[in-house]
Each structure stands twice: as C-alpha cells, then as structure tokens.
C-alpha cells in the first residue's frame, strides 16, 4: 500500500510503501519529524491529533494541519487526484 502526502496545493506525492495499516502511522510521524529537522523550534509542526476516515479506496489521515493530509492507498487501482512533480 502506498502512503501519499497531499500538500497545501492539493498535489499528492508518494512518501512510503506500507505493508500494514499501522506502518502508515509510523511513516507519517517519521515524515513530520524529517520535515521539522531544519526548522527553528517555534516553526516546527506538532500534530496534536490524528483523525482517520476510510473512503474511496483510501484511508485518509488528518493530522491537524488544516491544509496538508496523508492518504493510504488501499486499492492499487484507486485514482490519485493530482500528482506532484516535486521530490
């Protein structure tokens, strides 16, 4: 299963391959930690909650950013809305 990150422009990019659903939670926290590595302490993102919703062949994760989300593709044929060209 592919874990996707959706940025604030609605663009999706793959960030991890997950064997199990629990792997997605770990990968999300690792992604957030990596994004925070070079930020000043007062600019680091902190996730205070995670809301999970399953629909449309995905498990959607809202980690409290209001503009960025994570999506676990549980069906390999699921349509990805808008793929980012960034790495």
């Amino acid at each position: 299963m592919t874990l996707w990150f959706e940025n604030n422009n609605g663009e999706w990019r793959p960030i991890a391959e997950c064997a199990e659903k629990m792997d997605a939670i770990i990968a999300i926290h690792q992604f957030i930690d990596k994004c925070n590595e070079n930020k000043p302490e007062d600019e680091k993102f902190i996730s205070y909650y995670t809301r999970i919703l399953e629909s449309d062949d995905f498990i959607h994760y809202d980690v409290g950013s209001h503009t960025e989300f994570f999506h676990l593709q549980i069906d390999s044929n699921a349509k990805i809305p808008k793929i980012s060209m960034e790495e």
Side-chain angles (χ1 to χ4, degrees):
M1 295 180 284
T2 302
L3 179 65
W4 296 82
F5 171 70
E6 178 185 357
N7 68 19
N8 58 359
N9 292 322
E11 299 169 333
W12 291 34
R13 67 178 164 126
I15 60 168
E17 287 298 323
C18 302
E20 298 181 20
K21 292 177 184 178
M22 192 60 196
D23 295 338
I25 298 291
I26 294 166
I28 288 168
H29 288 286
Q30 289 173 338
F31 181 82
I32 291 170
D33 290 345
K34 184 173 182 188
C35 290
N36 281 334
E37 278 179 356
N38 297 318
K39 290 183 178 180
E41 199 62 38
D42 62 335
E43 292 181 18
K44 291 185 179 188
F45 176 75
I46 299 171
S47 176
Y48 292 101
Y49 65 86
T50 301
R51 276 192 286 198
I52 301 171
L53 170 68
E54 188 168 339
S55 69
D56 304 326
D57 301 320
F58 290 94
I59 299 175
H60 308 279
Y61 299 88
D62 172 359
V63 296
S65 78
H66 303 290
T67 60
E68 299 173 327
F69 304 94
F70 297 89
H71 309 278
L72 182 63
Q73 185 178 5
I74 53 179
D75 180 348
S76 61
N77 295 317
K79 183 176 178 346
I80 308 304
K82 184 178 178 184
I83 297 178
S84 173
M85 295 301 143
E86 291 182 28
E87 277 299 316

